[in-house]
Amino acid sequence: MLQNSGFALSARHVVGSILNSRSLARVLLASVALAASIVLAGCDTDQVSLATNAKANQPVPPKLIAAMGEKDMDLNSPILVRLFKQEAELEIWKQTRSGQFALLKTYPICRWSGDLGPKVREGDRQAPEGFYSINPSQMNPQSAYYLSFNTGFPNAFDKALGRTGSQLMVHGDCSSRGCYAMTDEQIAEIYSLGRESFFGGQKAFQFQAYPFRMTPVNMAKHRNNPNMAFWKMIKEGYDHFEVTRQEPKVDFCEKKYVFDAAKAPDAKRDPVFDASAKCPAYVIPEDIASAVAEKQQRDEAEYAKLVARGTPVARMNTGIDGGMNKVFASKIPEGSTGLSEGAEGNTLQMLAMSKAPGTIPGTVNPPKPNFEPVAAAPQEEPVVAVSAPATNTRVASAAAPEKSGGFFSNLGRKMGLGTADTTATTPPPQATASVTPAPATTTPATAASRLKAAVTRFVPGHDKSKDSTVAATKAAEPAAKPAETRVAATRPALKPSINDGAAEGTSSGGGQLAGAAPVMSSNSFDSRFSAMK
């Protein structure tokens, strides 16, 4: 009897010690949250948990925890994610102790694909736009692209319109064909923030994806875009969040978004929404509705002023696949930001010496520069918000005339002789010694050349024989050797925190979550993305 009592006391002591262990309690809580989400989502029961390997279990960096303290946030408080294609930025918002959300950190996006606008069908390379919900079962700790979470596309609205697509992720690896790609270090931080919010009891966090920041100036620039009706609809949710700093409640009916819908005063039960059915009776709380209406009135007034002043319309960008934040474009040879804002060449050169927020792998595929001539755009709609090609890009094309013809050409123009010069859009081809010069062809003398010849005859001491010698010497000069470029080193298996130096570790293989990107055996970029998104 005494032996049994002693065993019982020892067992209680052991159990008490285990329950007091914070790490084990967190694991148990995560397992419960994951199990609940699997039941609700109808997924397979053999899913792995949120943090089964070193990559997925990396702690939130101390600097980020300190920032939370300064902003009155708790480590386990809920988060909300906003993403903007054109600016190539991803924002993490976190709930403060007052109950409202505040911006914690903005991450530059390393790569996204497609064009501005929503995803419509499987294989169109479009990254999704809209409002999505991320629960623990969508977190993939064993992603082929370091770490990832599934955006949840298509949602009920997308399905009601017949839109198709799968495995649309936010992941690492900085390469995309329909996803939003970060560096491995960035996704490790983002993943850890989502993990801690689930540990704190958040059932799902909201993911808001926009074509650009929904400001009056951006709406004016893109006013002729065929996606404008859809963008105005999701701007409603953008405005709800802007005025309340609360996660907007999202519903769907009549193939449209509805935000912050509530039961009507005379209704006996909450409204039931169906994305393809007629909208039920509902109301929007008066305080939210009035604040949103005031914001929209200000935005519409500013929009009208911008249009009246002739704000140029952004050109549709055919031939450019997605975008890349200028921080990353400045680190890649022949890099271009694509559709991202702030892509001026001098800006990229200035950023070249700055530190990138993470390792850029050698498999990165930067957006292609836009070589379409500006003259192709309608004259009544000047080109704006289109990134310029990088200054070090070489184009294999015919030589264009020089922008300035020198002293005599300028003098001829001032005297009314000849026509205006055409600005060169491509650099002249490099001459090589091995190419046999073509026979010289006789061309009509221009007014500028006639003027130069006439003036030269009266220049004292001018020796005409030297002119041909100098011209022949310049033609025989070899082309300049292009500067060697360096390819970014392949990333390590376990990435260090962005803020806190290196952390050694190994990546784990094994299974993956449903809807996650498949693990491919080859390391080539093409084979890893063989399944078009």
Side-chain angles (χ1 to χ4, degrees):
M1 183 68 179
L2 292 175
Q3 290 179 349
N4 291 338
S5 299
F7 176 78
L9 291 174
S10 300
R12 278 199 296 267
H13 177 73
V14 171
V15 171
S17 299
I18 293 176
L19 293 178
N20 288 332
S21 173
R22 182 177 178 182
S23 60
L24 182 58
R26 286 174 49 182
V27 171
L28 292 173
L29 182 60
S31 301
V32 171
L34 179 63
S37 67
I38 291 172
V39 171
L40 293 175
C43 299
D44 295 334
T45 57
D46 58 350
Q47 302 284 356
V48 293
S49 65
L50 287 168
T52 57
N53 55 38
K55 294 185 297 183
N57 203 34
Q58 294 182 66
V60 177
K63 289 184 179 179
L64 208 51
I65 294 177
M68 294 179 198
E70 295 172 358
K71 298 182 179 183
D72 199 30
M73 302 169 179
D74 293 318
L75 175 62
N76 301 127
S77 66
I79 66 169
L80 181 145
V81 179
R82 293 203 310 179
L83 183 146
F84 305 96
K85 284 183 177 178
Q86 182 173 273
E87 294 82 0
E89 291 181 341
L90 182 150
E91 297 176 343
I92 297 292
W93 293 70
K94 200 163 179 64
Q95 194 175 62
T96 65
R97 293 186 180 97
S98 67
Q100 290 187 316
F101 281 84
L103 180 62
L104 174 61
K105 186 170 181 178
T106 301
Y107 295 86
I109 298 175
C110 199
R111 188 71 170 90
W112 60 272
S113 65
D115 201 345
L116 298 182
K119 184 172 184 63
V120 176
R121 62 185 178 276
E122 185 89 32
D124 62 6
R125 295 178 60 88
Q126 285 290 107
E129 294 175 6
F131 287 70
Y132 300 89
S133 182
I134 315 300
N135 62 52
S137 69
Q138 293 166 247
M139 306 288 283
N140 186 6
Q142 296 180 342
S143 171
Y145 312 113
Y146 199 72
L147 292 167
S148 65
F149 65 82
N150 195 314
T151 62
F153 178 93
N155 61 19
F157 168 81
D158 301 317
K159 293 176 182 177
L161 294 180
R163 295 176 177 174
T164 58
S166 60
Q167 301 179 8
L168 279 304
M169 320 288 286
V170 176
H171 59 65
D173 200 48
C174 192
S175 295
S176 170
R177 287 188 180 177
C179 298
Y180 294 105
M182 319 298 291
T183 63
D184 293 354
E185 292 87 351
Q186 287 178 310
I187 194 62
E189 261 192 34
I190 296 168
Y191 189 98
S192 70
L193 291 170
R195 180 195 67 216
E196 294 300 323
S197 73
F198 292 133
F199 286 162
Q202 186 175 19
K203 295 180 179 179
F205 64 83
Q206 194 171 89
F207 176 75
Q208 305 175 5
Y210 299 100
F212 40 72
R213 297 189 183 278
M214 311 301 276
T215 61
V217 64
N218 279 335
M219 299 297 282
K221 287 180 179 180
H222 296 277
R223 60 187 179 272
N224 287 354
N225 193 293
N227 294 300
M228 184 51 67
F230 169 72
W231 291 341
K232 286 182 177 179
M233 181 172 59
I234 62 174
K235 182 181 181 296
E236 186 85 15
Y238 177 93
D239 292 339
H240 277 238
F241 180 74
E242 286 290 307
V243 301
T244 65
R245 288 292 188 259
Q246 298 279 359
E247 178 182 300
K249 178 177 173 286
V250 180
D251 290 296
F252 312 100
C253 61
E254 298 179 7
K255 299 181 180 180
K256 66 180 183 181
Y257 279 84
V258 177
F259 299 98
D260 289 321
K263 181 174 63 176
D266 56 346
K268 296 182 179 179
R269 62 177 185 175
D270 292 332
V272 178
F273 287 88
D274 186 319
S276 300
K278 183 180 179 180
C279 292
Y282 69 89
V283 296
I284 298 176
E286 180 60 29
D287 55 341
I288 298 177
S290 59
V292 170
E294 290 178 5
K295 180 185 185 302
Q296 292 178 344
Q297 288 176 359
R298 294 192 302 269
D299 290 349
E300 289 169 3
E302 181 64 23
Y303 171 88
K305 291 179 181 178
L306 291 167
V307 174
R309 289 201 296 261
T311 297
V313 177
R315 180 177 60 188
M316 298 294 290
N317 290 277
T318 57
I320 295 182
D321 179 24
M324 166 180 278
N325 191 280
K326 58 187 177 182
V327 172
F328 298 108
S330 65
K331 305 295 186 298
I332 301 173
E334 308 294 331
S336 171
T337 59
L339 299 178
S340 302
E341 283 283 8
E344 297 82 1
N346 59 345
T347 304
L348 296 182
Q349 292 175 1
M350 292 171 59
L351 288 170
M353 301 302 294
S354 63
K355 183 179 179 181
T359 303
I360 305 175
T363 55
V364 66
N365 58 333
K368 294 175 292 184
N370 187 0
F371 293 129
E372 294 181 2
V374 174
Q379 295 299 320
E380 66 274 14
E381 295 182 358
V383 178
V384 297
V386 178
S387 57
T391 56
N392 59 349
T393 302
R394 299 188 302 275
V395 185
S397 60
E402 295 182 357
K403 184 174 182 180
S404 174
F407 169 80
F408 294 103
S409 297
N410 294 334
L411 180 59
R413 284 196 299 271
K414 292 179 180 178
M415 298 177 63
L417 300 175
T419 57
D421 290 340
T422 302
T423 303
T425 57
T426 56
Q430 303 290 349
T432 59
S434 61
V435 177
T436 303
T441 57
T442 304
T443 57
T446 63
S449 63
R450 290 197 303 269
L451 176 63
K452 179 177 180 180
V455 175
T456 303
R457 287 199 299 269
F458 299 98
V459 176
H462 177 72
D463 188 355
K464 296 181 180 179
S465 62
K466 294 181 179 179
D467 294 344
S468 59
T469 303
V470 173
T473 302
K474 290 184 177 179
E477 288 178 358
K481 183 179 180 181
E484 296 182 357
T485 57
R486 294 180 297 174
V487 179
T490 304
R491 66 189 188 284
L494 178 60
K495 295 296 184 273
S497 165
I498 297 175
N499 295 325
D500 302 290
E504 297 294 330
T506 58
S507 61
S508 176
Q512 61 186 35
L513 294 178
V519 179
M520 307 297 288
S521 59
S522 174
N523 288 327
S524 68
F525 172 75
D526 291 334
S527 63
R528 285 180 297 156
F529 283 98
S530 59
M532 296 294 289
K533 295 180 173 60

